[in-house]
Amino acid sequence: QVQLVESGGGLVQAGGSLRLSCAASGRASSGNSMGWFRQGPGKEREFVAAINREGWSTYYADSVKGRFTISIDNAKNTVYLQMNSLKPEDTAVYYCAVGPWRIKTTPAEYYYWGQGTQVTVSS
């Protein structure tokens, strides 16, 4: 079993920045990828970004490319999501998740999920 705890969410004005953290504990394969997803009010959960465990492969949704950066610190078992130039449409609950070795973008292919952290961007 793997436990994931997200933090770093909050209220920020448009154009601002936030850094989300996801601390992992428990048993997880060293080969698992890590992903960030988000779910806005009345919307489906959508892929944001993912990274392989070694940190050399990343993938982003088009909507966040160039603004968000995912990174991983294996010594701390923590994955980060640096979010810059935030927009009101980025408002959502953000979740981190453990996925398979090969990066995937579908929520159903991820194994473990955190409880989520709220990000609200005001205009």
Side-chain angles (χ1 to χ4, degrees):
Q1 190 70 18
V2 174
Q3 292 80 43
L4 303 172
V5 179
E6 301 97 335
S7 61
L11 173 64
V12 64
Q13 288 188 330
S17 299
L18 283 174
R19 188 176 83 152
L20 305 183
S21 299
C22 173
S25 61
R27 299 177 63 85
S29 168
S30 61
N32 290 117
S33 63
M34 299 290 294
W36 284 97
F37 291 77
R38 66 187 182 186
Q39 188 164 13
K43 297 182 179 180
E44 300 274 326
R45 190 168 297 189
E46 64 174 359
F47 172 79
V48 175
I51 189 168
N52 70 336
R53 184 53 62 99
E54 295 79 11
W56 52 260
S57 179
T58 58
Y59 191 74
Y60 296 91
D62 288 343
S63 59
V64 307
K65 202 172 293 182
R67 300 187 299 122
F68 291 11
T69 303
I70 188 171
S71 60
I72 192 167
D73 184 338
N74 284 307
K76 296 182 178 179
N77 286 329
T78 300
V79 63
Y80 303 96
L81 185 68
Q82 177 67 43
M83 306 186 295
N84 298 328
S85 302
L86 282 161
K87 304 174 181 180
E89 50 264 43
D90 294 318
T91 295
V93 178
Y94 283 71
Y95 301 89
C96 71
V98 176
W101 171 78
R102 187 180 299 275
I103 288 176
K104 301 292 185 181
T105 62
T106 306
E109 297 185 275
Y110 283 72
Y111 311 138
Y112 302 105
W113 293 83
Q115 82 291 347
T117 185
Q118 176 71 47
V119 172
T120 303
V121 184
S122 63
S123 57

mmCIF file of all heavy atoms in Angstrom, residues 51-82:
data_model
loop_
_atom_site.group_PDB
_atom_site.id
_atom_site.type_symbol
_atom_site.label_atom_id
_atom_site.label_comp_id
_atom_site.label_asym_id
_atom_site.label_seq_id
_atom_site.Cartn_x
_atom_site.Cartn_y
_atom_site.Cartn_z
ATOM 1 N N ILE A 51 5.844 12.188 -14.630
ATOM 2 C CA ILE A 51 7.297 12.064 -14.666
ATOM 3 C C ILE A 51 7.659 10.626 -14.343
ATOM 4 O O ILE A 51 6.979 9.977 -13.539
ATOM 5 C CB ILE A 51 7.935 13.059 -13.654
ATOM 6 C CG1 ILE A 51 9.446 13.112 -13.809
ATOM 7 C CG2 ILE A 51 7.532 12.709 -12.219
ATOM 8 C CD1 ILE A 51 10.075 14.283 -13.049
ATOM 9 N N ASN A 52 8.719 10.133 -14.971
ATOM 10 C CA ASN A 52 9.152 8.787 -14.612
ATOM 11 C C ASN A 52 9.947 8.860 -13.318
ATOM 12 O O ASN A 52 10.355 9.928 -12.872
ATOM 13 C CB ASN A 52 9.938 8.131 -15.752
ATOM 14 C CG ASN A 52 11.296 8.761 -15.971
ATOM 15 O OD1 ASN A 52 11.526 9.917 -15.627
ATOM 16 N ND2 ASN A 52 12.202 7.999 -16.547
ATOM 17 N N ARG A 53 10.172 7.708 -12.714
ATOM 18 C CA ARG A 53 10.781 7.700 -11.370
ATOM 19 C C ARG A 53 12.193 8.266 -11.381
ATOM 20 O O ARG A 53 12.613 8.912 -10.421
ATOM 21 C CB ARG A 53 10.754 6.286 -10.792
ATOM 22 C CG ARG A 53 11.271 6.197 -9.377
ATOM 23 C CD ARG A 53 10.556 7.191 -8.454
ATOM 24 N NE ARG A 53 9.145 6.945 -8.345
ATOM 25 C CZ ARG A 53 8.583 6.285 -7.330
ATOM 26 N NH1 ARG A 53 9.323 5.795 -6.377
ATOM 27 N NH2 ARG A 53 7.272 6.132 -7.267
ATOM 28 N N GLU A 54 12.908 8.067 -12.473
ATOM 29 C CA GLU A 54 14.279 8.568 -12.554
ATOM 30 C C GLU A 54 14.323 10.070 -12.806
ATOM 31 O O GLU A 54 15.346 10.704 -12.592
ATOM 32 C CB GLU A 54 15.045 7.841 -13.669
ATOM 33 C CG GLU A 54 15.249 6.360 -13.407
ATOM 34 C CD GLU A 54 14.021 5.533 -13.709
ATOM 35 O OE1 GLU A 54 13.068 6.065 -14.324
ATOM 36 O OE2 GLU A 54 13.996 4.338 -13.331
ATOM 37 N N GLY A 55 13.222 10.627 -13.296
ATOM 38 C CA GLY A 55 13.133 12.066 -13.473
ATOM 39 C C GLY A 55 13.553 12.593 -14.833
ATOM 40 O O GLY A 55 13.529 13.811 -15.049
ATOM 41 N N TRP A 56 13.943 11.711 -15.759
ATOM 42 C CA TRP A 56 14.432 12.224 -17.041
ATOM 43 C C TRP A 56 13.360 12.276 -18.111
ATOM 44 O O TRP A 56 13.609 12.784 -19.218
ATOM 45 C CB TRP A 56 15.635 11.406 -17.524
ATOM 46 C CG TRP A 56 15.441 9.922 -17.561
ATOM 47 C CD1 TRP A 56 15.865 9.015 -16.621
ATOM 48 C CD2 TRP A 56 14.784 9.142 -18.565
ATOM 49 N NE1 TRP A 56 15.502 7.745 -16.983
ATOM 50 C CE2 TRP A 56 14.854 7.790 -18.175
ATOM 51 C CE3 TRP A 56 14.156 9.459 -19.777
ATOM 52 C CZ2 TRP A 56 14.306 6.756 -18.940
ATOM 53 C CZ3 TRP A 56 13.614 8.437 -20.547
ATOM 54 C CH2 TRP A 56 13.686 7.108 -20.107
ATOM 55 N N SER A 57 12.188 11.761 -17.845
ATOM 56 C CA SER A 57 11.108 11.788 -18.823
ATOM 57 C C SER A 57 9.892 12.453 -18.214
ATOM 58 O O SER A 57 9.426 12.059 -17.143
ATOM 59 C CB SER A 57 10.760 10.365 -19.260
ATOM 60 O OG SER A 57 9.689 10.394 -20.204
ATOM 61 N N THR A 58 9.377 13.478 -18.893
ATOM 62 C CA THR A 58 8.184 14.183 -18.419
ATOM 63 C C THR A 58 7.190 14.341 -19.562
ATOM 64 O O THR A 58 7.567 14.266 -20.745
ATOM 65 C CB THR A 58 8.529 15.580 -17.878
ATOM 66 O OG1 THR A 58 9.173 16.338 -18.905
ATOM 67 C CG2 THR A 58 9.451 15.504 -16.671
ATOM 68 N N TYR A 59 5.957 14.555 -19.200
ATOM 69 C CA TYR A 59 4.909 14.761 -20.198
ATOM 70 C C TYR A 59 3.881 15.700 -19.608
ATOM 71 O O TYR A 59 3.544 15.588 -18.417
ATOM 72 C CB TYR A 59 4.274 13.426 -20.579
ATOM 73 C CG TYR A 59 3.370 13.515 -21.777
ATOM 74 C CD1 TYR A 59 3.885 13.643 -23.055
ATOM 75 C CD2 TYR A 59 1.977 13.478 -21.637
ATOM 76 C CE1 TYR A 59 3.057 13.726 -24.161
ATOM 77 C CE2 TYR A 59 1.137 13.566 -22.724
ATOM 78 C CZ TYR A 59 1.680 13.691 -23.987
ATOM 79 O OH TYR A 59 0.854 13.784 -25.090
ATOM 80 N N TYR A 60 3.382 16.633 -20.430
ATOM 81 C CA TYR A 60 2.459 17.653 -19.950
ATOM 82 C C TYR A 60 1.212 17.721 -20.829
ATOM 83 O O TYR A 60 1.279 17.494 -22.046
ATOM 84 C CB TYR A 60 3.127 19.030 -19.955
ATOM 85 C CG TYR A 60 4.301 19.145 -19.024
ATOM 86 C CD1 TYR A 60 5.592 18.863 -19.461
ATOM 87 C CD2 TYR A 60 4.124 19.540 -17.701
ATOM 88 C CE1 TYR A 60 6.672 18.967 -18.612
ATOM 89 C CE2 TYR A 60 5.208 19.656 -16.841
ATOM 90 C CZ TYR A 60 6.481 19.364 -17.299
ATOM 91 O OH TYR A 60 7.543 19.472 -16.444
ATOM 92 N N ALA A 61 0.121 18.103 -20.212
ATOM 93 C CA ALA A 61 -1.065 18.433 -20.986
ATOM 94 C C ALA A 61 -0.790 19.733 -21.740
ATOM 95 O O ALA A 61 -0.052 20.602 -21.254
ATOM 96 C CB ALA A 61 -2.267 18.606 -20.058
ATOM 97 N N ASP A 62 -1.379 19.864 -22.912
ATOM 98 C CA ASP A 62 -1.158 21.069 -23.710
ATOM 99 C C ASP A 62 -1.559 22.335 -22.955
ATOM 100 O O ASP A 62 -0.949 23.384 -23.122
ATOM 101 C CB ASP A 62 -1.958 20.979 -25.017
ATOM 102 C CG ASP A 62 -1.362 19.976 -25.990
ATOM 103 O OD1 ASP A 62 -0.185 19.589 -25.821
ATOM 104 O OD2 ASP A 62 -2.072 19.563 -26.914
ATOM 105 N N SER A 63 -2.564 22.221 -22.126
ATOM 106 C CA SER A 63 -3.095 23.394 -21.428
ATOM 107 C C SER A 63 -2.128 23.974 -20.398
ATOM 108 O O SER A 63 -2.277 25.133 -19.980
ATOM 109 C CB SER A 63 -4.418 23.045 -20.744
ATOM 110 O OG SER A 63 -4.236 21.984 -19.823
ATOM 111 N N VAL A 64 -1.139 23.191 -19.977
ATOM 112 C CA VAL A 64 -0.201 23.663 -18.952
ATOM 113 C C VAL A 64 1.236 23.721 -19.449
ATOM 114 O O VAL A 64 2.117 24.208 -18.732
ATOM 115 C CB VAL A 64 -0.268 22.795 -17.681
ATOM 116 C CG1 VAL A 64 -1.697 22.693 -17.175
ATOM 117 C CG2 VAL A 64 0.333 21.411 -17.911
ATOM 118 N N LYS A 65 1.466 23.245 -20.650
ATOM 119 C CA LYS A 65 2.821 23.198 -21.189
ATOM 120 C C LYS A 65 3.424 24.604 -21.227
ATOM 121 O O LYS A 65 2.789 25.560 -21.671
ATOM 122 C CB LYS A 65 2.781 22.592 -22.589
ATOM 123 C CG LYS A 65 4.078 21.995 -23.072
ATOM 124 C CD LYS A 65 3.866 21.247 -24.379
ATOM 125 C CE LYS A 65 3.012 20.027 -24.191
ATOM 126 N NZ LYS A 65 2.830 19.264 -25.451
ATOM 127 N N GLY A 66 4.650 24.730 -20.737
ATOM 128 C CA GLY A 66 5.321 26.032 -20.700
ATOM 129 C C GLY A 66 5.033 26.829 -19.442
ATOM 130 O O GLY A 66 5.711 27.827 -19.168
ATOM 131 N N ARG A 67 4.033 26.421 -18.668
ATOM 132 C CA ARG A 67 3.695 27.124 -17.425
ATOM 133 C C ARG A 67 3.949 26.266 -16.189
ATOM 134 O O ARG A 67 4.319 26.795 -15.137
ATOM 135 C CB ARG A 67 2.221 27.546 -17.444
ATOM 136 C CG ARG A 67 1.845 28.468 -18.577
ATOM 137 C CD ARG A 67 0.411 28.986 -18.428
ATOM 138 N NE ARG A 67 -0.587 27.924 -18.444
ATOM 139 C CZ ARG A 67 -1.453 27.683 -17.469
ATOM 140 N NH1 ARG A 67 -1.445 28.412 -16.372
ATOM 141 N NH2 ARG A 67 -2.340 26.695 -17.585
ATOM 142 N N PHE A 68 3.742 24.970 -16.295
ATOM 143 C CA PHE A 68 3.912 24.050 -15.165
ATOM 144 C C PHE A 68 5.167 23.209 -15.379
ATOM 145 O O PHE A 68 5.513 22.862 -16.511
ATOM 146 C CB PHE A 68 2.715 23.116 -15.045
ATOM 147 C CG PHE A 68 1.428 23.772 -14.609
ATOM 148 C CD1 PHE A 68 1.285 25.149 -14.551
ATOM 149 C CD2 PHE A 68 0.333 22.987 -14.254
ATOM 150 C CE1 PHE A 68 0.091 25.735 -14.154
ATOM 151 C CE2 PHE A 68 -0.864 23.550 -13.853
ATOM 152 C CZ PHE A 68 -0.978 24.938 -13.822
ATOM 153 N N THR A 69 5.810 22.854 -14.259
ATOM 154 C CA THR A 69 6.975 21.976 -14.305
ATOM 155 C C THR A 69 6.846 20.918 -13.228
ATOM 156 O O THR A 69 6.654 21.243 -12.054
ATOM 157 C CB THR A 69 8.272 22.764 -14.089
ATOM 158 O OG1 THR A 69 8.381 23.793 -15.076
ATOM 159 C CG2 THR A 69 9.481 21.842 -14.196
ATOM 160 N N ILE A 70 6.968 19.663 -13.629
ATOM 161 C CA ILE A 70 6.935 18.555 -12.681
ATOM 162 C C ILE A 70 8.369 18.110 -12.411
ATOM 163 O O ILE A 70 9.220 18.116 -13.304
ATOM 164 C CB ILE A 70 6.082 17.387 -13.221
ATOM 165 C CG1 ILE A 70 5.873 16.319 -12.152
ATOM 166 C CG2 ILE A 70 6.681 16.793 -14.493
ATOM 167 C CD1 ILE A 70 4.857 15.247 -12.540
ATOM 168 N N SER A 71 8.634 17.761 -11.160
ATOM 169 C CA SER A 71 9.963 17.286 -10.788
ATOM 170 C C SER A 71 9.820 16.261 -9.667
ATOM 171 O O SER A 71 8.760 16.150 -9.049
ATOM 172 C CB SER A 71 10.872 18.434 -10.352
ATOM 173 O OG SER A 71 10.327 19.104 -9.236
ATOM 174 N N ILE A 72 10.898 15.528 -9.423
ATOM 175 C CA ILE A 72 10.855 14.484 -8.406
ATOM 176 C C ILE A 72 12.148 14.492 -7.609
ATOM 177 O O ILE A 72 13.223 14.729 -8.160
ATOM 178 C CB ILE A 72 10.589 13.104 -9.055
ATOM 179 C CG1 ILE A 72 10.260 12.052 -8.017
ATOM 180 C CG2 ILE A 72 11.754 12.677 -9.951
ATOM 181 C CD1 ILE A 72 9.681 10.774 -8.617
ATOM 182 N N ASP A 73 12.023 14.268 -6.311
ATOM 183 C CA ASP A 73 13.166 14.134 -5.419
ATOM 184 C C ASP A 73 13.045 12.762 -4.765
ATOM 185 O O ASP A 73 12.286 12.595 -3.806
ATOM 186 C CB ASP A 73 13.161 15.252 -4.379
ATOM 187 C CG ASP A 73 14.389 15.230 -3.476
ATOM 188 O OD1 ASP A 73 15.024 14.154 -3.370
ATOM 189 O OD2 ASP A 73 14.706 16.256 -2.886
ATOM 190 N N ASN A 74 13.764 11.789 -5.298
ATOM 191 C CA ASN A 74 13.635 10.429 -4.789
ATOM 192 C C ASN A 74 14.176 10.277 -3.378
ATOM 193 O O ASN A 74 13.709 9.422 -2.624
ATOM 194 C CB ASN A 74 14.330 9.456 -5.737
ATOM 195 C CG ASN A 74 13.516 9.214 -6.992
ATOM 196 O OD1 ASN A 74 12.341 8.864 -6.920
ATOM 197 N ND2 ASN A 74 14.121 9.430 -8.148
ATOM 198 N N ALA A 75 15.126 11.097 -3.003
ATOM 199 C CA ALA A 75 15.659 11.032 -1.637
ATOM 200 C C ALA A 75 14.574 11.390 -0.620
ATOM 201 O O ALA A 75 14.577 10.909 0.503
ATOM 202 C CB ALA A 75 16.845 11.962 -1.495
ATOM 203 N N LYS A 76 13.650 12.242 -1.036
ATOM 204 C CA LYS A 76 12.566 12.665 -0.148
ATOM 205 C C LYS A 76 11.246 11.979 -0.484
ATOM 206 O O LYS A 76 10.221 12.268 0.138
ATOM 207 C CB LYS A 76 12.374 14.175 -0.238
ATOM 208 C CG LYS A 76 13.568 14.989 0.235
ATOM 209 C CD LYS A 76 13.283 16.484 0.149
ATOM 210 C CE LYS A 76 14.467 17.292 0.659
ATOM 211 N NZ LYS A 76 14.221 18.757 0.573
ATOM 212 N N ASN A 77 11.251 11.112 -1.484
ATOM 213 C CA ASN A 77 10.009 10.455 -1.932
ATOM 214 C C ASN A 77 8.912 11.488 -2.194
ATOM 215 O O ASN A 77 7.754 11.306 -1.784
ATOM 216 C CB ASN A 77 9.517 9.446 -0.893
ATOM 217 C CG ASN A 77 10.371 8.202 -0.881
ATOM 218 O OD1 ASN A 77 10.916 7.798 -1.908
ATOM 219 N ND2 ASN A 77 10.510 7.597 0.276
ATOM 220 N N THR A 78 9.286 12.552 -2.870
ATOM 221 C CA THR A 78 8.364 13.656 -3.087
ATOM 222 C C THR A 78 8.389 14.080 -4.553
ATOM 223 O O THR A 78 9.462 14.177 -5.156
ATOM 224 C CB THR A 78 8.721 14.847 -2.185
ATOM 225 O OG1 THR A 78 8.640 14.444 -0.820
ATOM 226 C CG2 THR A 78 7.761 16.003 -2.403
ATOM 227 N N VAL A 79 7.207 14.327 -5.085
ATOM 228 C CA VAL A 79 7.080 14.869 -6.429
ATOM 229 C C VAL A 79 6.472 16.260 -6.313
ATOM 230 O O VAL A 79 5.635 16.506 -5.428
ATOM 231 C CB VAL A 79 6.235 13.943 -7.326
ATOM 232 C CG1 VAL A 79 4.817 13.814 -6.824
ATOM 233 C CG2 VAL A 79 6.254 14.420 -8.769
ATOM 234 N N TYR A 80 6.919 17.163 -7.166
ATOM 235 C CA TYR A 80 6.504 18.550 -7.107
ATOM 236 C C TYR A 80 5.813 18.967 -8.405
ATOM 237 O O TYR A 80 6.072 18.412 -9.471
ATOM 238 C CB TYR A 80 7.712 19.458 -6.873
ATOM 239 C CG TYR A 80 8.491 19.132 -5.632
ATOM 240 C CD1 TYR A 80 9.622 18.330 -5.694
ATOM 241 C CD2 TYR A 80 8.099 19.627 -4.396
ATOM 242 C CE1 TYR A 80 10.350 18.024 -4.562
ATOM 243 C CE2 TYR A 80 8.821 19.333 -3.246
ATOM 244 C CZ TYR A 80 9.942 18.535 -3.335
ATOM 245 O OH TYR A 80 10.645 18.231 -2.201
ATOM 246 N N LEU A 81 4.979 19.987 -8.289
ATOM 247 C CA LEU A 81 4.401 20.616 -9.471
ATOM 248 C C LEU A 81 4.517 22.125 -9.280
ATOM 249 O O LEU A 81 3.805 22.704 -8.455
ATOM 250 C CB LEU A 81 2.938 20.212 -9.665
ATOM 251 C CG LEU A 81 2.300 20.731 -10.960
ATOM 252 C CD1 LEU A 81 2.941 20.038 -12.176
ATOM 253 C CD2 LEU A 81 0.790 20.499 -10.959
ATOM 254 N N GLN A 82 5.468 22.716 -9.994
ATOM 255 C CA GLN A 82 5.625 24.172 -9.970
ATOM 256 C C GLN A 82 4.665 24.759 -10.996
ATOM 257 O O GLN A 82 4.742 24.417 -12.183
ATOM 258 C CB GLN A 82 7.064 24.550 -10.308
ATOM 259 C CG GLN A 82 7.303 26.047 -10.378
ATOM 260 C CD GLN A 82 7.154 26.739 -9.040
ATOM 261 O OE1 GLN A 82 7.640 26.233 -8.024
ATOM 262 N NE2 GLN A 82 6.473 27.875 -9.013
#
